[in-house]
Amino acid sequence: MPERVIFEPSSLDYPLGQRIHEYFKDKPVAVLMASEKNAARSIPGTTPAEKYANSKRTLLITTNKLKKLDVCRPSADYQFSLVSNCPGHCEYCYLQTTQGTKPYIKVFVNLEDIFEVIKDHIKQNEDKTTTFEAASLGDPLALEHITGSLARTIEFFSGLEHGRLRVVTKFPNVDSLLNLDHKQKTTFRISINSDYVLRFEHNTASLDERVEAAAKLVHAGYPVGFIVAPIMQYDNWKGEYDALFRELEARLGPELSRKELTFELIQYRFTAAAKELILQRFPNTRLDMDEEKRSLKWGRFGRCKYVYPKEQAQEIREYLTSQVLGRFPQARIQYFT
Ligand code: SF4
């Protein structure tokens, strides 16, 4: 539940904007009106850490007018957003640098416009299947109890011949999605990690809750996978990742462990700009961001990121691959990056 909700006036022209406004009427939450340009002014805080924490408790209800979607390799062909950002406070979050000094959470209410843009992109791809990632700029599950917009989107995709939806999450809000007619066109991936890495995540679901959500989704017939990200090397990393996969196998049980699960493996990376912001927002962070121990890799948009040197990356890849395939015989590793 947020502390303050700011409505961009045009959001109230849409049924979802009106519904969210109604939802907050009797909640102990400050409801404000402001244009998107002025929204950040309503968020208190003087230090970077205060601004960050208060922004993560603020929703801006607004619209998304994007007509051209960004590509989203390797997880999907394109990405689109129902929300941007999320209420989690993960120290390593790759969104640290993309949301400004006050990273409040946006909720987009013009779903029909968003669906039209998706249809346009499918049309351009002719008869091929086009995949869309809904969670690369935020976590829609974190707000699903307020918006219901992921449920609408799953139903929208169930009617598309050539479109597939992909969603990744660290939140277990799946109950309202279990009885939808999804026609297996939505794939969920649950983010999991070792005990050590989970300590850098705050205000997200526990591993138990995530695995329980994954099991519910499998039982509801959704294709389900796991994303292990970010993978870090530290003292006893092998022992902890071994324990993670052992625990996952035990919790899923023999029946679910033999389903066709997918795994995506992503090693830890950071940029110089992210490091600077992380140190301001989490001054006591124990994240290992020592550039001396990393290799530089050019990313999209000319951004340079620090990744593990080749031999270490290879060791991570081989170790996690053997863990996954050893415990989940039908699993498919989609990529390691
Ligand atoms: S849950 Fe995902 S989007 Fe939210 S703070 Fe954590 S890493 Fe970032």
Side-chain angles (χ1 to χ4, degrees), residues 133 164-168 184-189 222-225 262 264 334:
E133 173 63 73
R164 296 290 181 277
L165 175 63
R166 291 169 65 74
V167 187
V168 56
Q184 298 202 310
K185 292 189 178 173
T186 296
T187 300
F188 280 96
R189 293 103 79 226
Y222 285 99
V224 171
T262 58
E264 291 153 78
Q334 292 189 307

Side-chain angles (χ1 to χ4, degrees), residues 85-265:
N85 212 332
C86 96
H89 295 210
C90 303
E91 296 174 33
Y92 59 72
C93 180
Y94 60 100
L95 299 175
Q96 298 281 7
T97 50
T98 58
Q99 315 274 331
T101 54
K102 290 187 174 171
Y104 53 80
I105 304 156
K106 290 186 196 172
V107 172
F108 301 117
V109 293
N110 55 330
L111 295 185
E112 298 305 327
D113 299 339
I114 295 170
F115 295 164
E116 280 309 310
V117 174
I118 289 168
K119 283 201 237 166
D120 279 352
H121 283 69
I122 294 175
K123 216 184 283 168
Q124 286 165 29
N125 212 2
E126 293 175 349
D127 288 341
K128 291 190 216 108
T129 298
T130 311
T131 52
F132 295 84
E133 173 63 73
S136 58
L137 297 181
D139 194 320
L141 260 302
L143 300 171
E144 185 62 9
H145 58 298
I146 295 170
T147 66
S149 57
L150 184 59
R152 287 266 324 271
T153 308
I154 291 170
E155 285 175 333
F156 163 71
F157 270 87
S158 78
L160 296 177
E161 196 182 343
H162 296 299
R164 296 290 181 277
L165 175 63
R166 291 169 65 74
V167 187
V168 56
T169 190
K170 288 187 170 77
F171 292 86
N173 262 344
V174 298
D175 288 357
S176 61
L177 311 175
L178 300 178
N179 294 319
L180 300 177
D181 181 19
H182 55 79
K183 298 201 168 57
Q184 298 202 310
K185 292 189 178 173
T186 296
T187 300
F188 280 96
R189 293 103 79 226
I190 307 298
S191 172
I192 56 170
N193 223 315
S194 66
D195 279 351
Y196 175 84
V197 180
L198 290 179
R199 274 184 238 137
F200 296 108
E201 299 179 1
H202 315 285
N203 208 26
T204 54
S206 67
L207 186 65
D208 273 5
E209 292 170 315
R210 294 185 211 180
V211 178
E212 194 186 320
K216 286 182 186 173
L217 290 165
V218 177
H219 284 303
Y222 285 99
V224 171
F226 295 92
I227 287 202
V228 193
I231 304 165
M232 296 183 190
Q233 270 196 337
Y234 51 90
D235 285 349
N236 194 29
W237 66 278
K238 285 189 175 172
E240 285 211 356
Y241 281 106
D242 174 52
L244 169 71
F245 292 113
R246 195 166 355 107
E247 210 175 313
L248 183 63
E249 184 187 16
R251 282 180 200 201
L252 287 177
E255 188 201 332
L256 298 192
S257 296
R258 270 151 193 76
K259 295 261 182 201
E260 283 180 28
L261 305 167
T262 58
F263 284 81
E264 291 153 78
L265 309 176

Side-chain angles (χ1 to χ4, degrees), residues 32-59:
L32 312 162
M33 297 291 285
S35 68
E36 189 159 344
K37 222 166 79 200
N38 295 326
R41 289 196 201 146
S42 323
I43 304 172
T46 42
T47 66
E50 281 170 5
K51 287 181 194 169
Y52 175 80
N54 288 327
S55 301
K56 287 277 189 170
R57 293 194 283 266
T58 302
L59 298 188

Side-chain angles (χ1 to χ4, degrees), residues 41-86:
R41 289 196 201 146
S42 323
I43 304 172
T46 42
T47 66
E50 281 170 5
K51 287 181 194 169
Y52 175 80
N54 288 327
S55 301
K56 287 277 189 170
R57 293 194 283 266
T58 302
L59 298 188
L60 174 71
I61 313 301
T62 185
T63 54
N64 185 347
K65 297 291 186 195
L66 209 66
K67 293 268 185 276
K68 190 164 166 25
L69 301 179
D70 270 339
V71 294
C72 188
R73 296 284 181 206
S75 88
D77 294 312
Y78 296 106
Q79 62 190 43
F80 72 99
S81 301
L82 300 170
V83 303
S84 74
N85 212 332
C86 96

